[in-house]
Amino acid sequence: MNARLKFPDVYDRLDEYRAASDLMSAGMYPFFLPLDGHEASVVRRAGRELIMCGSNNYLGLTGDDRLVGAAEDALRRYGTSCTGSRFLNGNTDLHEQLEAELAAFLGKPAALVLPTGYQANLGAVAGLLSPRDYVVADREAHASLIDGCRLSGARMRWFPHNDAEGLRTALERIPDAAARLVVVDGVYSMEGDLCDLPAVVEVCAEYGARLLVDDAHGLGVLARGRGTAAHFGLTDRVDLITVTFSKSLASIGGAVLGSEEAIHYLKHHARSLMFSASPTPASTATALTALRVLRAEPHRVDRVLANAARVRRGLAGAGIPTGDSPTPIVPVPMAGTTETLTAWNRLVERGVYVNPVIPPAASPRLRTSYTAAHTPEQLDRVVEALAAEVPAGSPRHRAAATAA
């Protein structure tokens, strides 16, 4: 009898999923594009050079000879892999040196290096919380924070994006006997806006909540590179800071920073650390060298912010406001998915590479970002291309035209 029954099959959803293949059929699929190589602010695709305006290489250090040399030296000394987790056999003096220098630079007592920024958030949130606890997250918190919340089993609450009063309301509804953690981004990756950290810190203090700030896009960008908490002068009032090395530090990896006691606890409870292979020697040496370059050359921070400001001014002059971001992230809102992908395709034809963002990831937009390596001439070309290809029907473009 059982042989004749029709059981649900998890593979049924494979045939039902058509979104990506429909875009491929239409010649509008913008993801997983293979790049032939890159130099500073330029990438190569199919033999063509494109100005890269979608990278998070904020300080322009990817490909820097000093970083490449550090990676090569680490390969020769340690080999290609640590062949195990840091918890057991994969810990090296490189990892501990990076932790010490990162903690000193960001002004926290201790740091813990993990294989990726994603795993840093998983480890910090899920390692600290239990199903008895509550976690309260900004509605636009990064996916890795949300996944960490879910992995922890803690009871989740949300508050409207960057709304301290909404956070207050959420915390008021949590039983007094329950421990609670608030999780936010320092810089939100889609809009480039800053967390209202002064207000969030005050609300957390009022309701006895610990605070974690994911500063993936703040490290190397704000406060001479020291990030969002330092930007507001609140480093001592943020309990945990997580960072990634895949942006300003031109490598791969991540870290959690906090008190000595918190980091000691996470070393023995963060599953994404304990059950994952150690960051490679080459990537660790690269991040360590990039951190040292950042400390020695803070002018790179000034340059990336000036470059982004130049683009904002240019787009504003073309009637395309881009929000209030003070960071290298410059979003260009679009009317819909079709308009976004059409503009993205035409920009590639013009030699400009941007990131198309479509639902459900976020509302339709071109997410552009800039680096210290972009030249004024490149940035002016980008502004010219965006002004030509952003359709008049996009929300911001239409609003600007109406105001004029």
Side-chain angles (χ1 to χ4, degrees), residues 88-109:
L88 292 175
N89 64 286
N91 193 36
T92 71
D93 55 339
L94 272 178
H95 297 107
E96 295 190 355
Q97 186 65 37
L98 177 55
E99 287 170 342
E101 295 193 23
L102 192 62
F105 182 66
L106 293 184
K108 301 301 283 185

Side-chain angles (χ1 to χ4, degrees), residues 26 98 102 132 140 145 166 184 191 203 217 236 267 272 317 376 394:
L98 177 55
L102 192 62
R132 300 186 304 274
E140 295 189 14
L145 284 176
V184 298
E191 290 289 335
V203 174
H217 295 273
D236 291 342
K267 280 184 175 181
S272 59
S394 75

Side-chain angles (χ1 to χ4, degrees), residues 108 209-212 235-241 257-259 262:
K108 301 301 283 185
R210 295 290 181 175
L211 174 61
L212 182 152
T235 300
D236 291 342
R237 299 189 66 184
V238 174
D239 298 291
L240 294 169
I241 297 172
L257 297 101
S259 68

Side-chain angles (χ1 to χ4, degrees), residues 140-314:
E140 295 189 14
H142 191 267
S144 57
L145 284 176
I146 304 310
D147 288 351
C149 295
R150 290 170 175 160
L151 185 63
S152 74
R155 287 162 282 194
M156 286 193 67
R157 298 292 183 268
W158 303 90
F159 67 97
H161 176 52
N162 238 351
D163 183 347
E165 286 307 307
L167 172 60
R168 183 189 305 278
T169 299
L171 289 172
E172 283 175 347
R173 294 173 178 169
I174 294 175
D176 291 345
R180 67 287 308 271
L181 174 72
V182 173
V183 296
V184 298
D185 288 17
V187 176
Y188 288 89
S189 61
M190 286 293 105
E191 290 289 335
D193 55 325
L194 303 188
C195 173
D196 185 4
L197 200 55
V200 167
V201 161
E202 292 302 325
V203 174
C204 287
E206 184 178 348
Y207 288 90
R210 295 290 181 175
L211 174 61
L212 182 152
V213 175
D214 174 359
D215 217 21
H217 295 273
L219 174 65
V221 169
L222 298 172
R224 308 298 274 175
R226 288 176 169 81
T228 307
H231 172 77
F232 288 109
L234 293 170
T235 300
D236 291 342
R237 299 189 66 184
V238 174
D239 298 291
L240 294 169
I241 297 172
T242 57
V243 297
T244 181
F245 307 152
S246 60
K247 297 174 175 58
S248 289
L249 298 190
S251 184
I252 188 72
V256 188
L257 297 101
S259 68
E260 295 277 4
E261 296 80 5
I263 297 306
H264 175 76
Y265 183 87
L266 289 175
K267 280 184 175 181
H268 300 88
H269 290 83
R271 292 168 65 88
S272 59
L273 169 82
M274 298 169 68
F275 299 98
S276 186
S278 172
T280 68
S283 61
T284 305
T286 298
L288 177 58
T289 304
L291 177 63
R292 291 170 175 172
V293 172
L294 168 58
R295 289 202 313 259
E297 301 177 3
H299 63 270
R300 290 177 178 271
V301 179
D302 299 331
R303 190 182 309 151
V304 65
L305 295 177
N307 282 347
R310 183 186 185 102
V311 171
R312 285 192 193 89
R313 289 193 301 271

